[in-house]
Amino acid sequence: MMGKRILVTGGAGFIGSHLCDRLVRGGNDVLCVDNFLTGSQANVVHLLDSRHFEVMRHDVTTPLDVEVDQIYNLACPASPLHYQADPVRTTKTSVLGAINLLDLARQLGVPILQASTSEVYGDPEVHPQPESYLGHVNAIGLRACYDEGKRCAEALFFDYHRQHQVQIKVIRIFNTYGPNMHPEDGRAVSNFIVQALRGEDITVYGDGHQTRSFCYIDDLVKAMVTMMNTDGSVTGPINIGNPDEIHIAQLAKLVIEMTRSRSKLVHKALPVDDPRQRRPDIALAREVLGWEPSVHLRAGLARTIRYFDELLQVDGTVKARVLAGIGTGL
Ligand code: NAD
Ligand code: UDP
């Protein structure tokens, strides 16, 4: 993978910034394209001195004309709070973004990887979820802008592949966490850690019996790069996630224990269409990519807690940091 020119859309976001890091470290020239809706310059500031890294402010809903050897398409707000803030824009980002980047991949004759999501399975009735499961999505609900946008993007990827022979790589990412998460994106891991560090109540939605399976960012990034560099016959979709499943209330208690916080759990209303259970079947990732996650939840949480702890101490409050430039597009 060395010495390539690589485009990462959404490169200033949580996952994108780690991917840019890894690709630059691997000896590639990286072009990070982002409109900074939920991402931040702060996530990639350490790369700006490198002559192998460039940032371009651009919205993927408009066409892009650049010369690259590979494309990773990550541009899209990812947390329910952020993607529901402007749902029409979210769908446009997934659908028009996919069309524009697939056109670019077609024109250049280069492979393109799509960051799809476990949300394509909706509130799953099959557990754990294999790629063959067609899903259970509410097409008109509050999550539809994201779920259906991502499903439409997958359809476009496969149509461009069948109709125009574009080399596609589709991965379905399950809940991922780690440093560089937006401190106010409303996700369980970031909310719980920030609340625990501030000594605030930990907000568990519903009874907390719903489950998720959390993957540490380094494991995900390894899988993304491996997937991109498979031969042309590998299109996916392939699930990427950590099959260790946990109840959300259990996660909240673990964060309290690990931060030695005095915070208490409080229960709030369960969001509409919130999936009751989620766990990836990663047999295909093991077989095709030779990949499986290696970072245990405790180890990953420890690193993530350290990140948020520093963030809170440096700036006094998360709010100050947010106002200073994170997520200013929202
Ligand atoms: P994020 O919000 O941190 O990153 C998304 C990035 O895309 C941000 O930098 C944002 O500014 C940028 N962006 C949004 N709209 C854009 C547009 N129209 N044009 C250009 N840039 C735009 O989220 P993330 O967690 O890093 O997610 C990255 C990708 O991975 C997303 O596509 C998301 O759907 C997918 N994904 C993430 C998870 C997860 O658990 N984090 C799970 C499944 C899928
Ligand atoms: N959740 C919670 N409290 C929070 C944030 C999230 O109980 O402060 C729950 C949420 O309802 C969901 C789970 O945690 O059941 C994971 O939510 P997240 O937003 O992290 O991811 P997603 O719902 O997209 O899987």
Side-chain angles (χ1 to χ4, degrees):
M1 94 177 189
M2 273 187 62
K4 290 195 157 48
R5 295 163 301 172
I6 303 179
L7 168 62
V8 179
T9 74
F14 158 51
I15 296 174
S17 59
H18 287 271
L19 179 62
C20 288
D21 242 356
R22 183 174 167 112
L23 294 172
V24 170
R25 269 192 282 117
N28 302 284
D29 288 337
V30 173
L31 173 60
C32 162
V33 163
D34 207 294
N35 69 351
F36 300 104
L37 178 69
T38 53
S40 163
Q41 299 262 10
N43 286 340
V44 289
V45 74
H46 60 288
L47 289 170
L48 291 176
D49 283 343
S50 168
R51 65 189 172 84
H52 297 290
F53 183 74
E54 266 180 278
V55 182
M56 181 193 286
R57 184 184 284 270
H58 172 85
D59 193 306
V60 296
T61 57
T62 59
L64 182 64
D65 187 11
V66 293
E67 288 270 336
V68 290
D69 304 311
Q70 295 182 337
I71 302 171
Y72 289 85
N73 184 32
L74 277 67
C76 187
S79 79
L81 184 72
H82 285 169
Y83 68 65
Q84 289 172 22
D86 186 344
V88 173
R89 186 176 188 179
T90 298
T91 306
K92 281 185 180 167
T93 295
S94 272
V95 177
L96 298 178
I99 291 171
N100 288 326
L101 290 153
L102 283 160
D103 279 339
L104 181 64
R106 180 185 176 200
Q107 179 195 318
L108 298 173
V110 302
I112 176 167
L113 180 143
Q114 168 68 354
S116 190
T117 168
S118 52
E119 285 282 328
V120 301
Y121 302 122
D123 186 5
E125 292 159 314
V126 169
H127 193 71
Q129 295 81 55
E131 291 81 354
S132 55
Y133 177 50
L134 298 183
H136 180 229
V137 174
N138 177 0
I140 59 167
L142 294 178
R143 296 174 87 101
C145 59
Y146 184 72
D147 300 9
E148 297 293 3
K150 288 284 186 177
R151 285 171 69 93
C152 183
E154 283 202 15
L156 284 161
F157 267 69
F158 279 85
D159 283 335
Y160 270 72
H161 175 64
R162 285 182 289 253
Q163 200 175 330
H164 301 304
Q165 293 74 53
V166 173
Q167 228 190 99
I168 58 160
K169 312 278 175 194
V170 177
I171 56 167
R172 292 180 177 158
I173 303 171
F174 284 64
N175 297 65
T176 300
Y177 69 99
N180 294 1
M181 286 181 90
H182 191 301
E184 298 204 339
D185 67 3
R187 288 191 254 206
V189 171
S190 44
N191 264 10
F192 293 170
I193 294 177
V194 170
Q195 289 163 342
L197 290 174
R198 286 167 152 180
E200 294 171 355
D201 288 341
I202 309 275
T203 53
V204 173
Y205 301 154
D207 58 13
H209 285 155
Q210 69 273 33
T211 68
R212 292 295 186 274
S213 308
F214 292 98
C215 182
Y216 188 65
I217 182 68
D218 290 0
D219 281 329
L220 167 66
V221 167
K222 220 175 283 174
M224 294 177 92
V225 174
T226 305
M227 178 70 172
M228 174 59 101
N229 291 288
T230 50
D231 68 57
S233 67
V234 179
T235 58
I238 297 185
N239 289 338
I240 303 295
N242 189 322
D244 274 351
E245 188 178 0
I246 187 170
H247 290 287
I248 289 301
Q250 244 179 301
L251 175 73
K253 287 178 191 156
L254 181 58
V255 169
I256 290 178
E257 178 209 311
M258 290 184 67
T259 51
R260 298 191 191 90
S261 172
R262 310 177 105 178
S263 295
K264 301 269 176 285
L265 303 193
V266 294
H267 290 270
K268 297 217 165 166
L270 190 67
V272 177
D273 292 335
D274 197 275
R276 282 159 299 153
Q277 52 183 1
R278 182 179 291 155
R279 170 152 61 106
D281 176 333
I282 59 164
L284 202 57
R286 283 196 176 103
E287 183 194 320
V288 176
L289 307 179
W291 173 91
E292 63 182 2
S294 64
V295 181
H296 291 290
L297 184 59
R298 271 182 182 271
L301 281 179
R303 294 180 212 171
T304 313
I305 289 168
R306 212 173 308 134
Y307 166 78
F308 279 115
D309 196 25
E310 277 168 23
L311 196 66
L312 293 176
Q313 284 180 20
V314 169
D315 294 323
T317 65
V318 168
K319 200 80 193 162
R321 169 95 171 167
V322 170
L323 293 174
I326 291 183
T328 44
L330 278 174

